Structure formats: structure tokens, C-alpha cells
Amino acid sequence: MAEYVVEFGKDGSRVEPDGRLDAAAFHRNHQAIWAVLQPFLTGKSGDVVEAGSGTGQHVAEFARHTPDITWWPSDLNEQHLKSINAWRAHAGLANIRPPLRIDLSDPAWCAEMHDGSGPGKLLAVFCANVIHIAPWRVAEGLLAGAGRYLREDGRLFLYGPFKRDGQHTAESNAAFDQSLRKGNPEWGVRDIEALEKLAAGAGLALIEIAAMPANNLILVFEHKRAG
Ligand SMILES: C[S@@+](CC[C@H](N)C(=O)[O-])C[C@H]1O[C@@H](n2cnc3c(N)ncnc32)[C@H](O)[C@@H]1O
């Protein structure tokens, strides 16, 4: 699994003694992401899973704004799970659950999702910067699980760089894609239309594309409506 993960803190970024990792990108992107999640989540209650939480900073930040929502961070990397737990302790919020060990390449995600010990049907799934730094089967598992576990009015928010009609939307994304594929041929910036096809197979439809800073996007999916 080592080649599927990003290990924060190994590139000179800060690691706190309690294991909290700090991702520079979090500080740049969390406000813009929250501006898209907030109108949907405000006034609602229920369970939200973050897939591939990494450091755990997004959940710690978003949970502060949403006391009626229970947040379930997740990852599969040991160091990241430790960091998520440390951010959870640091935040001291009752509405953040211990991280789930979810390997997204498994469409069932993890036992807790379906044995009654984890969240109920999900109000939302949030996933940032994961599916381009992982093999395609991780995107397949993410969409399959979202289709299975989202409640009827639930939504999947998928943040990252994406291609449109097979084309990069910016030179910087093309260079990033090339460097990803050089490091691992199974990685790479994903195409929105290919993701829509996966989503359709999971009973989901793309309903919104929100522009983010630095040529990133948030894709928003919900259950396909009849008719
Ligand atoms: C670039 S980091 C993004 C972390 C965080 N979402 C953020 O935006 O800061 C990618 C994360 O995906 C996780 N990841 C990679 N492959 C995964 C898989 N198969 N299942 C679940 N998480 C995975 C890594 O461990 C890492 O934490």
C-alpha cells in the first residue's frame, strides 16, 4: 500500500509531538471548500464520512461549524490515522468520531459501514485530493460506496484537479498529471466524464461543478432522480 499514500510530515512540514500532521494545502483550500459544503450542510443533521482524510484537519475544521452533524474521518495509512486521532483530540469536539480504516479500493469500504457499529445512511461524503493519487479502482470504490451508503437526499463532494472531455483545464494541472504518472503509472488527474460514467453505474448523477482556487474543482453528485 505504501505507494498509494502521501505521507505528510516527511517533506519538512510540521509534525507535532502528538502526531498531528500539517498539510500546507489545507490552509489554502479549506475556506473555499467550506463555501461549497456549507449551504448544503447548514441546518441538517446526520452522518458525514470524509474519505481519505489525510492529516484530519478538514474534519476538525468543518465539525466546528456543524454541531448537529457527526463526522467520520477515515484513511488507510497508519500515520494518517494517528494524525486524524490527534486532531480529533486537539479539537475536543463531541461530533467527531474516531477514524474508520477505509480502503476505498474495496467498494464495501469497511465492516463498520454495514455492521451497525459505524455511521447510518450518510448525509454526505467528502473526499479531497485522493483519486488522482491512487489507482483508478479507488475512484471506482469511492463512487460505489457513495452510491450504496448515501441516504436519499445525500451528496458526494469530490475535490481536486480534473480533466474535462479528456483535456486539462490548466497547464499546471497537465504538468502535475505528468509528474503523478511518472511516479506511478496508475495515478493521474481524472476525467470528469469518466467519473460521471462510474457515478451512473452507482446510481449517482453529477449535479454541480464548483470552481475552486488553483484550478481545482468540486464535483457534487447525488442519487439519480426518476424521470
Ligand atoms: C493527498 S492526500 C489528501 C488528504 C486530505 N484529503 C487532504 O486533502 O489534505 C491523499 C490521501 O488519500 C489516502 N489514500 C490513498 N489511497 C487510499 C485508499 N485506497 N483508500 C483510502 N484512502 C487512501 C492517503 O493515505 C492520503 O491520506
Side-chain angles (χ1 to χ4, degrees), residues 8 20 23 55 69 74 77 90 95 107 109 136 147 160 173 187 189 199:
F8 300 104
R20 270 178 299 142
T55 64
I69 290 174
S74 71
N77 174 282
H90 185 260
N95 60 330
W109 290 6
W136 181 241
N173 284 1
W187 293 9
V189 172

Side-chain angles (χ1 to χ4, degrees), residues 91 116 163:
K163 291 193 273 188

Side-chain angles (χ1 to χ4, degrees), residues 4-5 52-54 58 75-76 80 102-104 128-130 133 138:
Y4 300 162
V5 304
S53 297
H58 282 122
D75 211 282
L76 85 174
H80 297 182
I102 295 180
D103 180 353
L104 293 167
N129 285 326
V130 173
I133 307 187
V138 166

